[in-house]
Amino acid sequence: MGLLTDELRARIGERRVYTAPEEFGAAAGRYFGLAIGDTNPLYSDPEYARAQGLAGVTAPPTLICETNQYANIARDPEGYAGHTWGLELPGTRTVRGGNSYEFFRRIRPEDVITATWEIADMTEKRTGSGTEMLIVASRASYTNQHGELLATNEETIIFVALGGNS
């Protein structure tokens, strides 16, 4: 197999850190809830949120994992403004392998979020039909301005060789 080059292998352990330029704000949670069709009053009604034991309004849990919401990342040529590793593997197609989230505390409007991404591993495998693929596993940790861990996101991106068996 040949998708995992020495150059790519050297990127294992690479980190990127994005810190929001301001507090998260109450509007972000409310707008994200509306965008995904979640009308939970935790995102818009401070009195309701306090009655549920929270300090005030919060946001849908996965919003913290959307770094393009707060990290001020420039758009790529396709218009995406979130975190990517910029991995280019000619002769492959990219497939999202999935995400695994763990949440430790809800976002508060006063939180200033930092996302720390790290390439955890790269593994070469073959598909069931024998086509080469490279599986890239990365992990993001989301903390606030006090260093409290708010969430983690383990993400897998798969690069599959084009043209069948390699």
Side-chain angles (χ1 to χ4, degrees):
M1 289 198 251
L3 292 178
L4 182 54
T5 64
D6 289 340
E7 181 181 337
L8 288 173
R9 190 176 284 108
R11 293 189 65 181
I12 297 172
E14 182 178 318
R15 296 177 115 198
R16 300 252 175 90
V17 178
Y18 307 100
T19 299
E22 70 273 313
E23 292 181 342
F24 205 78
R30 185 175 72 250
Y31 291 155
F32 190 74
L34 290 171
I36 64 173
D38 187 344
T39 59
N40 189 325
L42 288 176
Y43 315 140
S44 60
D45 184 340
E47 289 181 27
Y48 178 83
R50 282 191 287 278
Q52 306 311 308
L54 300 174
V57 294
T58 187
T62 57
L63 177 58
I64 195 171
C65 300
E66 301 297 332
T67 53
N68 58 336
Q69 294 290 323
Y70 57 82
N72 200 25
I73 300 171
R75 292 185 182 279
D76 69 14
E78 295 178 3
Y80 181 65
H83 168 77
T84 68
W85 290 109
L87 298 174
E88 305 248 346
L89 279 82
T92 65
R93 66 183 171 91
T94 306
V95 179
R96 281 188 68 110
N99 296 75
S100 176
Y101 303 111
E102 189 171 1
F103 301 100
F104 302 99
R105 180 178 64 72
R106 287 187 168 275
I107 302 170
R108 296 180 187 138
E110 67 273 12
D111 285 333
V112 177
I113 307 298
T114 295
T116 302
W117 282 89
E118 182 173 359
I119 296 177
D121 198 13
M122 294 187 192
T123 307
E124 284 185 293
K125 292 191 176 185
R126 290 194 178 268
T127 66
S129 63
T131 303
E132 286 183 294
M133 63 181 174
L134 179 66
I135 301 168
V136 178
S138 59
R139 182 170 197 234
S141 297
Y142 303 92
T143 57
N144 67 9
Q145 68 273 27
H146 305 295
E148 294 175 287
L149 182 61
L150 304 174
T152 59
N153 172 16
E154 294 183 7
E155 179 176 84
T156 305
I157 303 294
I158 303 168
F159 296 88
V160 181
L162 298 175
N165 300 343
S166 297

